Amino acid sequence: MIVDLHSHTNFSQCGIDTPEELVHEMIKNGVDVLGITDHHYGIGDRKKEYFDILTLLKEKYKDSITIYRGIEIATVNWLEFDRREDISYFDYCLIEHIDHPDSVVNGDVFEYVKSLNLKAGIAHTDLFTYVYDKKIDPYEFFYKLKTNGIFWELNVNYDKIHRFNEHEYVKEFFRNKEYQSLVRDIGVQLSVGFDGHRKEEYKVERVKNACDFLIDNGFNLITKL
């Protein structure tokens, strides 16, 4: 099972491929479940158009791949999402920058997610460092993630747009038995995302290896939203 819940198209300012070009590439790579999650500030006032295109692709390719219609929400104050705007019709959202000093989340990710009225995951964030820095008990925090239905993304990106930098928190999670035990015992939902912006740079083996590890070791990997 290959599940990638973080990808970008030309609806993001940093993406270049059309949604359909991306879908073709994912099918070619054997991806079973794909979440398309363009940046809210890149989509701008084209959210309905974006959603409708993803809906058409979801139906058109349903026999080859499962597609989920997502959106990535920036929380730094200079890119802040206007929470008066309704995005509840999307399948889910990814929230980024919650650990940034200028994040409007202000340390209360649960209240922020509640205000979006949408299934949510926390993207490319070292949550163990986050809770230790804020002096929050990790068990309490991850338990609240579970009970609030918020998932945590393991971002396995490795491409030019990210300067071929790997996320250290992901590498640490895969080797830290204590972290693994806490997350697995609580049953926190986990997702895997390559966070791709160029289809020619996609490395499906990184997604597959991460998904295999989580499935083989009894973690609660999201395969269906």
Side-chain angles (χ1 to χ4, degrees), residues 54-90:
L54 298 192
T55 300
L56 288 173
L57 294 175
K58 180 182 180 74
E59 178 63 24
K60 181 176 180 179
Y61 294 100
K62 65 182 180 181
D63 293 332
S64 301
I65 191 170
T66 298
I67 296 173
Y68 287 113
R69 302 155 297 186
I71 186 169
E72 187 169 15
I73 304 296
T75 67
V76 286
N77 52 27
W78 64 88
L79 292 172
E80 183 177 359
F81 173 69
D82 184 352
R83 283 179 278 169
R84 292 171 298 182
E85 184 176 358
D86 179 25
I87 56 170
S88 62
Y89 52 92
F90 282 91

Side-chain angles (χ1 to χ4, degrees), residues 119-153:
K119 176 75 173 180
I122 300 174
H124 45 68
T125 301
D126 182 347
L127 286 184
F128 280 97
T129 296
Y130 178 79
V131 296
Y132 290 138
D133 285 349
K134 294 188 175 298
K135 297 179 171 54
I136 302 171
D137 177 77
Y139 187 94
E140 177 184 339
F141 181 83
F142 281 97
Y143 184 76
K144 285 188 73 174
L145 285 184
K146 168 68 182 302
T147 57
N148 283 273
I150 302 171
F151 61 91
W152 181 31
E153 177 196 75

Side-chain angles (χ1 to χ4, degrees), residues 6-9 11-14 36-48 50 70-83 85-87 89-90 92-97 104 112 116 118:
H6 193 162
S7 62
H8 295 277
T9 75
F11 274 91
S12 290
Q13 295 169 342
C14 44
I36 301 177
T37 51
D38 281 301
H39 294 289
H40 81 84
Y41 52 87
I43 304 169
D45 60 4
R46 301 168 65 198
K47 293 184 182 66
K48 186 64 168 60
Y50 167 72
I71 186 169
E72 187 169 15
I73 304 296
T75 67
V76 286
N77 52 27
W78 64 88
L79 292 172
E80 183 177 359
F81 173 69
D82 184 352
R83 283 179 278 169
E85 184 176 358
D86 179 25
I87 56 170
Y89 52 92
F90 282 91
Y92 72 109
C93 67
L94 294 176
I95 299 169
E96 61 178 344
H97 307 132
V104 299
Y112 187 87
L116 297 174
L118 180 64

Side-chain angles (χ1 to χ4, degrees), residues 4-5 13 15 59 74 185 215:
D4 187 339
L5 292 185
Q13 295 169 342
E59 178 63 24
D185 291 350
I215 292 170

